[in-house]
């Protein structure tokens, strides 16, 4: 079945109005339709996410009605494994398709996929880790490598990274590669391997700039970038510049904004100021991105030597069109600026101390009263 035919069947599975009903299609055709939806998700078709979820449920119901001998066909058995690796309904499949009825060549793989689907990671590792993903045809190898990486990520990060590289190699341009890139970047981000991280960033943004998960990816880059520059020292800006090498202007602006925002909230002043300043350079004067960049950089600079410039930028920053979080950050930063500018007054301090003493006295009275009540109630 061609990709076009698979896409048409995908529509049929969701809408229920196709020339060929899902329960009349071979299981491998049904799963190809699900794969076509996954490709559309990777390409940025957000509507396909809901369609994919519905197609997965419909597929499970259709598999229940399939005759046992159907699974002796290797194509259908492989498709069943793909279905489970794609988040399929493992409980329904386990109840309706015994291991003994699937093609013998696929039985061990199917058993491992079932175990993974129901959350039995111990059995899944026992069954799946012994299989070489490169020995499997089509997209199944990429799926397996991705699952294998997931199973060992907590215990062997280096092995997981190697398996994710393999998954990307075996399934380029698919949702498998998209997921492998995000998972791999989350694993290597904390190691400080900036060159590998930058390479994967460029690959992701080159292949999946409109993915339904692209925003999650950008947030991951921002978090990892703040970790890479955790010392907030003079070298942080150079590391960030290396991370941005080769990216298009719009993408660099988006990432610098995300990094500046995260750094400002975490109190990393040097990084927030640097990333905000760079984002501002890459923005058109007066546009919303320039305003956000000024707010992020200003919120960090307000407590440093750049107080005057930061207060001016924050005051001038228009709030029209800003999200609630950005408006709140600007308001908080200006409140801090006002506190810094206010001279320390003795009478204000005295009043605060008197109020504090009154609160403490009241608290002590409450404790004494409470203690007396407990003693009175004791047998």
């Amino acid at each position: 079945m061609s990709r076009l035919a698979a896409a048409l069947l995908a529509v049929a599975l969701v809408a229920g109005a196709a020339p060929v009903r899902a329960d009349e299609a071979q299981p491998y055709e049904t799963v190809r339709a699900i794969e076509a939806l996954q490709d559309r998700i990777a390409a940025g078709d957000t509507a396909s996410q809901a369609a994919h979820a519905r197609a997965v449920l419909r597929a499970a119901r259709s598999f229940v009605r399939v005759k046992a001998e159907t699974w002796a066909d290797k194509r259908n058995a492989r498709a069943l494994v793909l279905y489970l690796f794609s988040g399929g309904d493992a409980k329904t499949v386990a109840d309706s398709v015994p291991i003994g009825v699937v093609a013998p060549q696929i039985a061990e793989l199917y058993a491992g996929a079932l175990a993974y689907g129901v959350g039995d990671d111990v059995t899944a590792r026992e069954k799946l880790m012994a299989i070489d993903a490169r020995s499997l045809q089509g997209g199944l190898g990429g799926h397996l490598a991705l699952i294998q990486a997931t199973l060992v990520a907590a215990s062997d990060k280096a092995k997981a990274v190697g398996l994710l590289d393999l998954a990307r190699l075996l399934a380029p341009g698919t949702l498998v590669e998209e997921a492998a890139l995000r998972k791999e970047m989350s694993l290597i981000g904390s190691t400080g391997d900036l060159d590998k991280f930058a390479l994967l960033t460029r690959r992701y943004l080159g292949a999946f700039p409109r993915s339904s998960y692209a925003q999650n990816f950008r947030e991951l880059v921002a978090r990892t970038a703040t970790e890479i520059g955790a010392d907030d020292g003079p070298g942080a800006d150079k590391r960030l510049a290396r991370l941005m090498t080769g990216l298009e202007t719009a993408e660099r602006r988006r990432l610098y904004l995300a990094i500046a925002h995260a750094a400002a909230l975490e109190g990393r002043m040097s990084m927030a100021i640097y990333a905000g300043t760079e984002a501002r350079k890459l923005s058109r004067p007066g546009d919303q991105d320039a305003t956000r960049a000024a707010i992020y950089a200003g919120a960090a600079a307000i407590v440093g030597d750049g107080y005057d410039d930061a207060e001016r930028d924050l005051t001038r920053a228009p709030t029209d069109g800003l999200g609630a979080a950005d408006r709140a950050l600007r308001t908080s930063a200006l409140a801090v600026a006002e506190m810094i500018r206010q001279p320390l007054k003795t009478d204000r301090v005295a009043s605060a101390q008197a109020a504090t003493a009154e609160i403490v006295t009241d608290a002590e009275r409450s404790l004494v009263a409470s203690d007396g009540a407990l003693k009175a109630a004791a047998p």
Side-chain angles (χ1 to χ4, degrees), residues 194-205:
L194 186 57
D195 291 332
K196 180 69 176 290
F197 191 86
L199 176 67
L200 296 180
T201 299
R202 289 192 289 273
R203 170 58 189 169
Y204 187 98
L205 293 174

Side-chain angles (χ1 to χ4, degrees), residues 316-352:
R316 293 178 178 177
T319 57
D320 294 343
L322 289 179
D326 290 335
R327 291 198 303 272
L329 181 59
R330 174 183 177 274
T331 300
S332 298
L334 284 172
V336 171
E338 184 66 21
M339 291 172 60
I340 293 173
R341 188 169 57 190
Q342 288 286 335
L344 186 63
K345 295 182 179 179
T346 304
D347 58 344
R348 184 181 300 161
V349 174
S351 297

Side-chain angles (χ1 to χ4, degrees), residues 19-88:
V20 179
R21 285 168 39 196
D23 58 354
E24 293 176 347
Q26 286 289 310
Y28 72 84
E29 295 175 312
T30 300
V31 173
R32 280 183 185 175
I34 292 173
E35 288 185 285
L37 285 171
Q38 291 173 342
D39 289 347
R40 288 160 60 182
I41 292 171
D45 183 355
T46 55
S48 291
Q49 287 183 286
H52 178 269
R54 291 193 294 270
V56 166
L57 290 176
R58 287 174 183 262
R61 290 197 291 267
S62 73
F63 293 162
V64 170
R65 298 189 291 271
V66 169
K67 295 179 181 179
E69 56 266 27
T70 303
W71 304 114
D73 185 328
K74 189 176 177 181
R75 294 173 300 174
N76 290 327
R78 288 178 68 257
L80 197 57
V81 173
L82 271 173
Y83 172 78
L84 293 168
F85 283 165
S86 300

Side-chain angles (χ1 to χ4, degrees), residues 278-293:
E278 292 301 307
R280 200 171 182 180
K281 290 177 183 176
L282 298 169
S283 305
R284 290 191 300 272
D287 73 4
Q288 195 172 103
D289 283 347
T291 299
R292 293 172 61 210

Side-chain angles (χ1 to χ4, degrees), residues 257-293:
L257 280 170
I259 292 165
H261 184 242
L265 294 178
E266 294 176 13
R268 294 176 177 173
M269 294 191 304
S270 296
M271 181 178 293
I273 293 169
Y274 170 75
T277 301
E278 292 301 307
R280 200 171 182 180
K281 290 177 183 176
L282 298 169
S283 305
R284 290 191 300 272
D287 73 4
Q288 195 172 103
D289 283 347
T291 299
R292 293 172 61 210

Side-chain angles (χ1 to χ4, degrees), residues 117-331:
V118 298
D120 182 0
D121 288 353
V122 173
T123 301
R125 277 191 288 269
E126 177 188 333
K127 300 288 186 183
L128 297 178
M129 296 309 298
I131 303 173
D132 185 350
R134 292 168 295 187
S135 68
L136 303 179
Q137 296 178 347
L140 187 54
H143 275 275
L144 175 60
L146 178 61
I147 299 302
Q148 289 173 327
T150 302
L151 290 170
V152 301
S155 59
D156 192 339
K157 184 182 293 187
K159 184 171 184 177
V161 167
L163 287 166
L164 291 168
D165 282 335
L166 179 60
R168 296 191 296 108
L169 179 66
L170 294 175
T174 67
L175 195 59
V176 168
E177 186 193 8
E178 193 273 349
L181 280 166
R182 285 186 287 114
K183 190 170 188 66
E184 186 170 358
M185 290 178 73
S186 70
L187 289 176
I188 68 171
S190 59
T191 68
D193 188 351
L194 186 57
D195 291 332
K196 180 69 176 290
F197 191 86
L199 176 67
L200 296 180
T201 299
R202 289 192 289 273
R203 170 58 189 169
Y204 187 98
L205 293 174
F208 307 105
R210 291 177 293 278
S211 164
S212 300
Y213 305 108
Q215 183 56 39
N216 293 343
F217 161 80
R218 292 184 176 96
E219 292 171 0
L220 168 64
V221 172
R223 288 196 305 272
T224 305
T226 58
E227 291 171 6
I228 288 171
D231 57 2
D232 206 32
D237 55 349
K238 293 180 181 178
R239 288 193 290 274
L240 286 179
R242 282 173 57 198
L243 177 62
M244 301 295 177
T245 300
L247 300 183
E248 295 181 357
T249 299
E251 202 58 64
R252 279 188 291 144
R253 181 175 66 251
R254 279 193 287 266
L255 289 177
Y256 271 128
L257 280 170
I259 292 165
H261 184 242
L265 294 178
E266 294 176 13
R268 294 176 177 173
M269 294 191 304
S270 296
M271 181 178 293
I273 293 169
Y274 170 75
T277 301
E278 292 301 307
R280 200 171 182 180
K281 290 177 183 176
L282 298 169
S283 305
R284 290 191 300 272
D287 73 4
Q288 195 172 103
D289 283 347
T291 299
R292 293 172 61 210
I295 290 173
Y296 302 155
I302 202 73
V303 294
D305 296 335
Y307 171 88
D308 292 327
D309 290 340
E311 185 191 30
R312 184 193 64 240
D313 289 344
L314 287 166
T315 302
R316 293 178 178 177
T319 57
D320 294 343
L322 289 179
D326 290 335
R327 291 198 303 272
L329 181 59
R330 174 183 177 274
T331 300

